[in-house]
Amino acid sequence: MFFRIYKYSLLRSTRDRLMVFWNLVFPIILGSLFQVAFGNYTEKEVLFHQIPVAYVKEEGADGNFTELLEILETDSELIQVQTVGKDKAEQLLRDGEVEGIYYNKTAEETDGQAEGIYDNEPGKETDGQEELGITLVVQEQDMNQSILNSILEQYERTCATLLTIGKEYPEGIQEAAKLLEEDTKYLKENSMGAASDNGILDYFYSLIAMNCLMGATTGLLCSVEFKADLSALAARRVVAGHSRFQVLWPDLAAKITLQFIYIVFTACYLMFVLHVPLGEQWGFLLLTIFVGSLLGIFLGFFIGVAGRMQYSMKEALCILIMMVSSFFSGLMMDGMQRLVEQYAPVFARINPASLIVKSFYSLNIYETYGRYLQNLGTMLVLILVLAAGSFAMVRRERYASI
Amino acid sequence: MGKKVVEIENLVKRYKELIALDHLNLAVEEGEIFGLLGPNGSGKTTAINCILALLYFDKGSVKVFGKEMQPDSYEIKRQIGVVLQNVAVFEELTVQENIDYFCGLYIQDKMVRKKYVEEAMVFSGLEEFRKFYPKKLSGGLLRRLNIACGIAHKPKLIIMDEPTVAVDPQSRNRILEGIQMLNKEGAAIIYTSHYMEEVEQICSRIAILDKGRCVASGTKEELKSMIKMGEKIHMEVMNLLPFQIAEIKELRHVYQVEYQDGMLEICCSGGKHNLVHILDYFNSREIGFGRVYSELPTLNDVFLEITGKKLRDSAETA
């Protein structure tokens, strides 16, 4: 019986043109429009590529910074360093071969020419490097230059901290060095994270998140066909000679399957047709999409079984939640996630669309899976809460009124 | 007396302050078509939902096939077919797929199911429309599909809740004939309606509901014998004077006379030859008259006499 109901449920869903439009066609159209709007960014493939930088080091200059650059080049593959002379470096910058030049001079030779950050004119240098003698010259203000500056700033902070600890608490210097080493890893994650802070990929992540949450309307439909006090169809199924859940499981399974397929199709379209670099970890990408689909469908199912509002009201509520959730995940505005993190951190941690976006983000940006698993775990907890709440509400089998 | 298929005892169902079922007692026997007749809001659908264990009730008991009906009485439910008042089919499935889907909730054997689905389509006259989607069907055909989905698995008890609402006369006749055919094949049927003609035409026993109470039950003959009226005579008469109306009222077996717009309506109690007596009176007074016809009491008259209101009027105003 399971497979027969599953088959019919799949058939019904694929024949529902409205559902196919909203769950499959609409995200593809929206994705294409995003591509038209931001296409040049993704085509440049600025993400996940090492940032070329020239390094001019004078004799007797700070050797630690040289080591840091080596680590960032070899271990983290964040930057690509060319150690050259001053003239060559400037030539490379003018030709656009590198994104910036690190000057590592001896402290005495620093001439204090650094004023202001990112003047967008060649030759201008960043400030604050007088003491260490390290300066950064950039061609223009962009994301990559921001990363190069972050590296320098982080290095400065580290040196300043160690200097202070060395002066005031010399016995703890070893421990401090260890902690700062971890901090450097954070710098790496942060810097790489900044690579997507251009917001372009976030739009596409949000699009997929919205697609996942569109499953809410499917879940809602499932609940309407399940509760006898919501539709005659449900009543007819309830009075059949089987447990109601024997009919529900294949129905839910079919809806989840189809939602998953729709989103995978959208993701494939984004990646292979529009060349949006969503990432290469297919297994985890699919897992995220699957969990996202579950989240969307159980959200709709929960809304469906809760209360006795009219179907149209519940449908409107589903769409409202989907849109609000997607909006705050950055579907319509760059930097929205940061604002939400800043002003409503709790909401940021439970907003379904944000969780899906952050899962993609952390999966593709960070080398470790800690943050990814954290987001995925939160989604699973949400699904569990929604499912448990739903089943608690439908556990009774008789109704007060129909 | 046949074996009882459904037994309802002292059933009370309240919706907050409203009493939907007020100590309802009913019994449906094997092989009969049992009609539940009453205006909208009289408690017919509530009674059906209680029988199907869809609704909580406040008091009483419901037994189906001799066992207490519970939501998890799956064995009992497998022997019941339900045709609900609202059409309950999937818009995205064809006629054949819909019947197969609902039949499949009861019949697991693929070959048997295929045969049953085919039979249900023939029974409901939907063979030509098997590939049609419900939205392409007329109201009558849609109702027939609704019925086919409820009876395809050949249940022993069929519950039909106003299956002919908003159906054209042709489809209605087809549905009523089909119900009688199902009954001949051995199914007990509970049929609810506020159309007295339908109930009178097909039901072997009838219960009349009003405000959640069973006000009368029995065969249609038994119900009609419960009331005073035995015959109603209608005459076209011009310019009838008040004293003549009073004289007619005095005639034997006549207990009520109404005269309006040249139409005289005379209600007579159970005596024979009432029409002859009345025509004699008109001839003796040399009063001219036009068309004359006589009718036996209907269930509407039964309802009117018992409740003080017309069944159809109640249905329309409810």
Side-chain angles (χ1 to χ4, degrees):
Chain A
M1 190 168 94
F2 182 94
F3 288 105
R4 212 178 48 77
I5 296 176
Y6 180 81
K7 180 192 85 177
Y8 274 126
S9 194
L10 276 183
L11 257 184
R12 289 195 291 122
S13 301
T14 50
R15 286 175 184 171
D16 188 338
R17 287 181 190 174
L18 209 61
M19 199 174 282
V20 173
F21 175 80
W22 286 111
N23 287 297
L24 182 66
V25 182
F26 178 69
I28 285 176
I29 293 173
L30 204 57
S32 304
L33 291 175
F34 280 173
Q35 174 70 0
V36 170
F38 319 120
N40 56 332
Y41 283 89
T42 52
E43 278 162 19
K44 270 163 67 179
E45 294 186 5
V46 291
L47 305 176
F48 318 120
H49 286 253
Q50 287 175 285
I51 304 161
V53 62
Y55 181 43
V56 180
K57 182 179 175 261
E58 292 185 356
E59 251 182 68
D62 185 359
N64 291 329
F65 188 68
T66 313
E67 273 180 40
L68 174 68
L69 292 185
E70 277 170 15
I71 291 168
L72 290 176
E73 183 175 23
T74 52
D75 292 359
S76 312
E77 297 179 350
L78 180 64
I79 55 173
Q80 195 175 31
V81 184
Q82 291 185 55
T83 308
V84 290
K86 190 181 176 189
D87 294 339
K88 174 71 176 167
E90 282 169 1
Q91 183 62 42
L92 286 171
L93 186 64
R94 272 195 296 275
D95 296 345
E97 299 283 318
V98 292
E99 302 280 355
I101 307 169
Y102 284 122
Y103 289 103
N104 190 353
K105 300 172 185 175
T106 51
E108 301 84 61
E109 287 181 20
T110 317
D111 51 12
Q113 62 186 152
E115 286 173 2
I117 307 171
Y118 301 123
D119 278 323
N120 291 337
E121 286 173 33
K124 291 283 179 182
E125 299 184 15
T126 55
D127 64 350
Q129 287 16 287
E130 283 90 347
E131 280 183 19
L132 290 168
I134 302 168
T135 52
L136 171 67
V137 176
V138 293
Q139 179 75 20
E140 57 187 25
Q141 184 179 349
D142 204 343
M143 171 193 58
N144 287 345
Q145 285 73 18
S146 161
I147 294 169
L148 294 177
N149 191 51
S150 300
I151 292 168
L152 189 53
E153 280 178 356
Q154 183 71 20
Y155 179 73
E156 268 187 302
R157 275 199 298 274
T158 307
C159 290
T161 310
L162 281 173
L163 218 69
T164 312
I165 293 169
K167 274 181 194 168
E168 293 175 9
Y169 184 57
E171 60 275 22
I173 194 80
Q174 295 276 352
E175 207 175 324
K178 257 187 195 175
L179 288 171
L180 287 168
E181 200 175 317
E182 282 172 19
D183 198 31
T184 309
K185 282 180 192 167
Y186 172 73
L187 158 80
K188 188 182 95 185
E189 282 197 343
N190 240 6
S191 301
M192 292 184 76
S196 76
D197 273 354
N198 60 39
I200 306 308
L201 261 189
D202 283 1
Y203 283 110
F204 290 100
Y205 291 152
S206 294
L207 174 68
I208 295 177
M210 186 193 71
N211 205 357
C212 288
L213 294 188
M214 275 177 173
T217 50
T218 316
L220 176 65
L221 207 64
C222 230
S223 71
V224 170
E225 291 172 0
F226 177 71
K227 272 190 88 186
D229 58 344
L230 295 180
S231 73
L233 255 172
R236 173 165 261 173
R237 300 207 303 181
V238 165
V239 297
H242 295 284
S243 156
R244 298 173 306 157
F245 293 97
Q246 272 184 280
V247 184
L248 177 68
W249 299 135
D251 229 13
L252 268 178
K255 301 274 192 283
I256 291 165
T257 307
L258 210 62
Q259 190 67 19
F260 176 68
I261 291 171
Y262 285 153
I263 303 167
V264 170
F265 191 88
T266 306
C268 288
Y269 176 79
L270 294 178
M271 289 179 81
F272 300 117
V273 179
L274 303 184
H275 303 294
V276 178
L278 293 180
E280 287 166 357
Q281 302 190 64
W282 271 101
F284 287 111
L285 274 176
L286 292 177
L287 180 66
T288 312
I289 290 172
F290 180 73
V291 175
S293 306
L294 277 181
L295 185 56
I297 283 175
F298 275 105
L299 177 69
F301 191 79
F302 181 83
I303 292 169
V305 297
R308 294 210 63 186
M309 268 188 290
Q310 284 187 339
Y311 177 75
S312 53
M313 289 291 288
K314 288 185 174 182
E315 197 176 28
L317 187 63
C318 277
I319 293 168
L320 182 75
I321 290 174
M322 183 185 75
M323 293 314 294
V324 168
S325 178
S326 301
F327 174 75
F328 286 114
S329 76
L331 180 71
M332 297 152 204
M333 209 172 103
D334 185 21
M336 177 52 76
Q337 279 220 54
R338 273 195 299 275
L339 283 174
V340 179
E341 283 280 0
Q342 193 177 343
Y343 295 108
V346 177
F347 175 68
R349 272 160 190 77
I350 57 165
N351 177 16
S354 283
L355 287 170
I356 299 168
V357 169
K358 282 195 268 184
S359 294
F360 282 120
Y361 182 90
S362 51
L363 187 63
N364 294 329
I365 302 301
Y366 304 134
E367 284 187 347
T368 56
Y369 292 111
R371 289 185 186 209
Y372 170 72
L373 292 174
Q374 188 186 330
N375 290 317
L376 200 73
T378 313
M379 280 201 276
L380 287 171
V381 169
L382 272 181
I383 291 166
L384 212 68
V385 169
L386 290 171
S390 303
F391 292 121
M393 280 186 276
V394 298
R395 72 185 188 285
R396 60 178 188 179
E397 300 194 9
R398 274 181 171 158
Y399 302 92
S401 64
I402 286 183
Chain B
M1 199 169 172
K3 202 174 161 185
K4 281 176 184 165
V5 176
V6 177
E7 281 177 272
I8 295 176
E9 281 178 12
N10 276 322
L11 193 63
V12 177
K13 168 68 188 169
R14 284 195 181 90
Y15 295 115
K16 292 180 183 169
E17 299 303 311
L18 178 81
I19 301 173
L21 295 176
D22 187 2
H23 295 90
L24 183 69
N25 289 289
L26 289 177
V28 182
E29 290 169 15
E30 253 180 357
E32 71 175 352
I33 304 179
F34 187 86
L36 274 180
L37 183 67
N40 290 341
S42 60
K44 303 186 297 293
T45 302
T46 301
I48 295 296
N49 288 332
C50 288
I51 293 172
L52 293 170
L54 286 171
L55 279 179
Y56 286 114
F57 45 82
D58 300 281
K59 198 178 161 189
S61 75
V62 176
K63 284 183 184 172
V64 180
F65 296 119
K67 289 176 186 167
E68 203 74 38
M69 186 65 170
Q70 296 292 336
D72 58 354
S73 304
Y74 302 127
E75 274 305 316
I76 298 173
K77 283 182 174 181
R78 271 194 269 274
Q79 299 175 66
I80 302 175
V82 183
V83 179
L84 297 164
Q85 193 172 354
N86 296 322
V87 175
V89 296
F90 292 112
E91 289 293 321
E92 305 84 14
L93 296 183
T94 64
V95 165
Q96 187 169 0
E97 288 166 346
N98 260 301
I99 301 172
D100 184 55
Y101 179 93
F102 288 108
C103 185
L105 295 179
Y106 301 85
I107 308 290
Q108 303 307 314
D109 188 296
K110 199 175 175 182
M111 293 311 290
V112 176
R113 194 170 68 241
K114 197 176 172 188
K115 181 173 163 270
Y116 282 8
V117 169
E118 204 57 42
E119 284 174 7
M121 274 194 293
V122 173
F123 167 81
S124 50
L126 290 167
E127 314 99 289
E128 292 173 28
F129 307 96
R130 65 177 69 221
K131 299 284 180 201
F132 279 51
Y133 288 98
K135 63 183 169 194
K136 297 279 179 191
L137 299 177
S138 67
L141 289 173
L142 199 59
R143 286 275 163 189
R144 286 196 230 166
L145 172 62
N146 195 36
I147 293 171
C149 291
I151 56 96
H153 60 287
K154 298 193 185 296
K156 286 184 185 166
L157 169 66
I158 300 171
I159 298 174
M160 295 181 151
D161 190 8
E162 309 217 18
T164 56
V165 170
V167 165
D168 59 281
Q170 193 189 348
S171 283
R172 178 173 294 183
N173 286 338
R174 174 118 200 180
I175 289 168
L176 297 180
E177 284 167 17
I179 291 167
Q180 286 172 313
M181 202 189 299
L182 287 168
N183 180 241
K184 276 181 192 161
E185 287 172 7
I189 293 165
I190 299 176
Y191 186 90
T192 81
S193 180
H194 60 254
Y195 295 122
M196 57 183 176
E197 301 87 354
E198 286 181 4
V199 174
E200 208 166 341
Q201 184 184 337
I202 64 167
C203 295
S204 44
R205 255 174 4 104
I206 299 155
I208 296 177
L209 297 191
D210 185 43
K211 293 178 181 169
R213 287 181 300 116
C214 178
V215 291
S217 71
T219 63
K220 55 191 167 195
E221 291 77 17
E222 284 170 349
L223 287 174
K224 286 173 187 175
S225 70
M226 285 177 192
I227 59 170
K228 193 176 177 184
M229 190 205 291
E231 187 179 12
K232 195 187 277 181
I233 295 163
H234 301 265
M235 295 181 81
E236 274 180 7
V237 190
M238 298 304 290
N239 304 321
L240 199 63
L241 300 169
F243 80 90
Q244 293 168 323
I245 295 171
E247 282 179 351
I248 295 167
K249 268 188 187 169
E250 295 304 314
L251 293 174
R252 205 176 163 208
H253 298 306
V254 173
Y255 68 92
Q256 188 181 314
V257 179
E258 276 182 29
Y259 182 62
Q260 199 173 9
D261 300 329
M263 201 68 201
L264 183 67
E265 190 182 272
I266 307 163
C267 293
C268 307
S269 55
K272 292 175 181 175
H273 313 302
N274 294 320
L275 184 59
V276 175
H277 294 149
I278 289 164
L279 291 177
D280 279 349
Y281 169 81
F282 276 81
N283 286 331
S284 64
R285 299 289 189 279
E286 296 181 339
I287 304 169
F289 56 89
R291 286 188 303 146
V292 179
Y293 60 93
S294 163
E295 60 180 15
L296 294 171
T298 62
L299 290 175
N300 197 29
D301 296 316
V302 176
F303 190 80
L304 175 67
E305 207 166 304
I306 294 173
T307 66
K309 59 193 175 191
K310 286 185 178 178
L311 182 60
R312 185 59 56 82
D313 291 347
S314 312
E316 282 162 4
T317 54

